[in-house]
C-alpha cells in the first residue's frame, strides 16, 4: 500500500515575519537560507492551529513555490488574501482526511495549489475537458469503435501491473494553466502504445500539435479524448522535437511532409461503470489507457490512495498506467499532467472499484501502426 510520508516542519527557530519585513533582498535571502534546511512538504501534524505557526508555514510554502506576491511588499492585500486562502485549504485538507480514520494515512494536505481558491483551481486546472460529442456519431464505424456495458466472464488477471516498470511511460509533463488535459492524456497513451507494440522506448510526441491543429477541440480552452483520438487517427501525431510544447494555444504550424509521425490503427472508447474488471483487463493485456475523471478534490491531494470525496463530476483527463490489488485497498496508478511536483512525483492513486472519481465513465484504448 502506498502511504504518504509524514514530515513535520520545525518552525520553532523562525521569527514571526510580517510582510513589511521583506522590503530588502538581503532579508529575503537570509530567510531563504533559513528555510532551505526545513522540509518543504508539510503534514497535517505540522498544521498547528495558531495563526503564528500557520503564517510561518505559509511563508515556507510561498518561498518553496516562488510566489511573486510574497516578495513584493507593495502587494500586501494579495499576500493577505493568499494567506487566508491557504488557511482555508489547510482546514479543508484536515476535514477530508477525517474520512480515512487513520492519522498515519494522509491523502490531503499542502501542495503547490494551496493558495488557490476552489473557484480559481477549477478555472485554471479543471476547465479543459469537454463532453464527448463524437461517441454516438462514430459508434458503428469499424476504424473507431465505442462499446457499452458488454457482458464478460470473470478474468484471471495479475495482482499488479505497472507499465512504468516496462519503460514504456515517459516522464510526467506539466500542462500548467493550459486546459489541454484531453491532448496530454491522448498523446501520452499513443506514446506508450507505440513503445509496447514496437518493442521500443516510447517516443516523445507533440501535444502542442493537437492543441494548435485539432480544430474539433478548443486548444487550451478544452476538448475531449475521443475527438483527439479521431484527429490523431486521421492525421498522425508529430514528434515533440518538430513541434515543441508551449502550453498555450498558437497558430497551427504545417510541418514538412517528410516529418516523422506516429499513426493510429484504431481507437476505442468504453463506458465501464460497474464493469471495472474490464479496465484491469485492458491494463494487464493491452496497455495504458486514457480516462476522464473528477479531479475536484485533487486540489488538496498530496499522496496516498483516494477512496472518498471524489464524485463523478467529470472535469479532467489523465492516463492510467497500471493497478495494484495486493494491499488492503486496491488502486489504479494514474499519471497526471500537473508536473512532477504534484502528488507522488506527478502520480495519483485512486481506489479500484465503485467508479471512484468517475474514471470508468470514459475509458479510451488505442493501437498504433507498427513500423
Amino acid at each position: 500500500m502506498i502511504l504518504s510520508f509524514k514530515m513535520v516542519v520545525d518552525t520553532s527557530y523562525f521569527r514571526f515575519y510580517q510582510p513589511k519585513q521583506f522590503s530588502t533582498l538581503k532579508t529575503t535571502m537570509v530567510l531563504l537560507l533559513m528555510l532551505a534546511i526545513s522540509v518543504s512538504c508539510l503534514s497535517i501534524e505540522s498544521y498547528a492551529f495558531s495563526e503564528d505557526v500557520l503564517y510561518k508555514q505559509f511563508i515556507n510554502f510561498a518561498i518553496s513555490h516562488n510566489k511573486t506576491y510574497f516578495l513584493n511588499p507593495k502587494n500586501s492585500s494579495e499576500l493577505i488574501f493568499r494567506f487566508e486562502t491557504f488557511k482555508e485549504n489547510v482546514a479543508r485538507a484536515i476535514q477530508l482526511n477525517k474520512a480515512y480514520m487513520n492519522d498515519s494515512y494522509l491523502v490531503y494536505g499542502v501542495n503547490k495549489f494551496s493558495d488557490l481558491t476552489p473557484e480559481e483551481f477549477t478555472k485554471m486546472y479543471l476547465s479543459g475537458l469537454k463532453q464527448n460529442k463524437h461517441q454516438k456519431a462514430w459508434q458503428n464505424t469499424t476504424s473507431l469503435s465505442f462499446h457499452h456495458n458488454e457482458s464478460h466472464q470473470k478474468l484471471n488477471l495479475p495482482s499488479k501491473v505497472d507499465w512504468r516498470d516496462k519503460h514504456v511511460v515517459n516522464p510526467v509533463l506539466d500542462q500548467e494553466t493550459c486546459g489541454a488535459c484531453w491532448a496530454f492524456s491522448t498523446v501520452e497513451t499513443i506514446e506508450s502504445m507505440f513503445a509496447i507494440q514496437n518493442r521500443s522506448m516510447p517516443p516523445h510526441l507533440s501535444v502542442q500539435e493537437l492543441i494548435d491543429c485539432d480544430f474539433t477541440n478548443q486548444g487550451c480552452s478544452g476538448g475531449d479524448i475521443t475527438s483527439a483520438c479521431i484527429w490523431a487517427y486521421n492525421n498522425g501525431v508529430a514528434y515533440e522535437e518538430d513541434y515543441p510544447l508551449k502550453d498555450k494555444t498558437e497558430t497551427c504550424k504545417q510541418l514538412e511532409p517528410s516529418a516523422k509521425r506516429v499513426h493510429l490503427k484504431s481507437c476505442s472508447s468504453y463506458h465501464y461503470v460497474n464493469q471495472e474488471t474490464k479496465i484491469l483487463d485492458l491494463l494487464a493485456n493491452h496497455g495504458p489507457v486514457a480516462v476522464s475523471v473528477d479531479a475536484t478534490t485533487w486540489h488538496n491531494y498530496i499522496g496516498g490512495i483516494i477512496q472518498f470525496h471524489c464524485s463523478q463530476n467529470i472535469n479532467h483527463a489523465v492516463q492510467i498506467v497500471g493497478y495494484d490489488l495486493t494491499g488492503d485497498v486496491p488502486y489504479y496508478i494514474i499519471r497526471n499532467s500537473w508536473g512532477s511536483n504534484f502528488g507522488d512525483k506527478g502520480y495519483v492513486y485512486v481506489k479500484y472499484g465503485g467508479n471512484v472519481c468517475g474514471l470508468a465513465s470514459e475509458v479510451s484504448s488505442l493501437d498504433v501502426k507498427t513500423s
Side-chain angles (χ1 to χ4, degrees):
M1 179 180 293
I2 298 168
L3 300 178
S4 56
F5 292 99
K6 299 206 306 177
M7 296 184 290
V8 180
V9 176
D10 181 5
T11 57
S12 61
Y13 51 84
F14 291 128
R15 290 180 57 197
F16 181 53
Y17 289 95
Q18 297 290 347
K20 64 183 180 180
Q21 292 174 278
F22 295 97
S23 58
T24 67
L25 179 62
K26 180 179 178 181
T27 304
T28 303
M29 293 307 295
V30 169
L31 181 60
L32 280 167
L33 181 62
M34 293 169 65
L35 289 173
I37 64 173
S38 70
V39 182
S40 63
C41 178
L42 305 179
S43 79
I44 297 298
E45 283 187 350
S46 67
Y47 299 161
F49 297 111
S50 73
E51 194 87 353
D52 287 10
V53 173
L54 277 170
Y55 187 73
K56 292 170 187 176
Q57 294 174 348
F58 173 64
I59 290 173
N60 192 357
F61 161 83
I63 291 179
S64 296
H65 296 287
N66 300 312
K67 301 295 182 177
T68 57
Y69 57 76
F70 176 71
L71 300 177
N72 185 358
K74 296 181 180 179
N75 208 12
S76 58
S77 60
E78 174 75 0
L79 184 68
I80 293 170
F81 175 74
R82 293 302 162 192
F83 177 44
E84 292 301 316
T85 302
F86 178 85
K87 290 193 294 183
E88 290 171 3
N89 277 308
V90 168
R92 185 179 302 110
I94 293 172
Q95 280 298 120
L96 291 172
N97 280 322
K98 286 182 178 179
Y100 293 86
M101 303 296 290
N102 186 340
D103 186 52
S104 65
Y105 189 87
L106 303 178
V107 175
Y108 304 99
V110 171
N111 63 21
K112 66 180 183 178
F113 303 129
S114 291
D115 63 345
L116 298 178
T117 67
E119 294 75 20
E120 289 173 324
F121 177 74
T122 297
K123 182 179 180 180
M124 296 168 69
Y125 295 97
L126 300 181
S127 61
L129 190 71
K130 307 301 181 184
Q131 185 176 7
N132 181 339
K133 55 184 177 292
H134 288 290
Q135 185 159 331
K136 291 183 179 179
W138 286 77
Q139 188 167 355
N140 297 319
T141 65
T142 56
S143 56
L144 290 105
S145 57
F146 301 88
H147 310 273
H148 293 266
N149 295 333
E150 299 171 343
S151 62
H152 68 289
Q153 297 179 347
K154 188 174 181 179
L155 301 171
N156 184 18
L157 299 170
S159 59
K160 183 177 181 180
V161 171
D162 189 342
W163 285 103
R164 294 174 297 180
D165 296 339
K166 303 294 185 180
H167 307 292
V168 298
V169 179
N170 278 328
V172 171
L173 298 175
D174 192 345
Q175 69 183 69
E176 298 182 356
T177 57
C178 172
C181 57
W182 56 272
F184 281 84
S185 58
T186 302
V187 171
E188 290 164 359
T189 305
I190 295 172
E191 292 172 338
S192 294
M193 291 311 303
F194 180 94
I196 292 169
Q197 293 178 278
N198 287 279
R199 298 183 179 181
S200 68
M201 296 298 291
H204 292 274
L205 301 179
S206 176
V207 176
Q208 189 65 39
E209 185 178 35
L210 269 74
I211 293 173
D212 294 346
C213 303
D214 179 1
F215 298 123
T216 62
N217 287 307
Q218 303 170 42
C220 289
S221 296
D224 72 73
I225 298 170
T226 303
S227 297
C229 203
I230 293 171
W231 188 92
Y233 176 85
N234 290 330
N235 299 277
V237 182
Y239 279 65
E240 166 75 11
E241 62 190 27
D242 295 325
Y243 208 132
L245 181 63
K246 302 294 184 181
D247 275 330
K248 59 183 179 179
T249 307
E250 298 187 332
T251 302
C252 180
K253 300 174 180 62
Q254 298 299 320
L255 301 180
E256 293 294 328
S258 60
K260 295 186 300 181
R261 289 183 174 276
V262 171
H263 292 271
L264 297 190
K265 180 180 179 181
S266 66
C267 183
S268 299
S269 180
Y270 302 93
H271 183 74
Y272 278 158
V273 175
N274 300 322
Q275 290 187 313
E276 287 185 50
T277 304
K278 287 195 170 185
I279 302 178
L280 302 186
D281 185 30
L282 282 173
L283 291 168
N285 298 311
H286 189 259
V289 296
V291 300
S292 302
V293 296
D294 173 11
T296 304
T297 59
W298 298 14
H299 182 178
N300 305 109
Y301 179 78
I302 58 172
I305 305 168
I306 295 175
Q307 304 173 50
F308 314 104
H309 309 304
C310 207
S311 66
Q312 299 172 28
N313 177 32
I314 304 302
N315 49 31
H316 189 47
V318 294
Q319 182 190 33
I320 304 182
V321 301
Y323 64 83
D324 190 333
L325 310 179
T326 61
D328 295 336
V329 181
Y331 60 88
Y332 295 103
I333 304 168
I334 295 175
R335 177 189 177 193
N336 199 11
S337 54
W338 293 342
S340 59
N341 59 345
F342 171 79
D344 182 4
K345 298 179 181 177
Y347 282 82
V348 179
Y349 307 99
V350 174
K351 179 184 176 182
Y352 161 74
N355 194 26
V356 179
C357 296
L359 55 72
S361 301
E362 183 183 354
V363 181
S364 294
S365 175
L366 57 86
D367 288 289
V368 303
K369 292 182 178 179
T370 56
S371 57

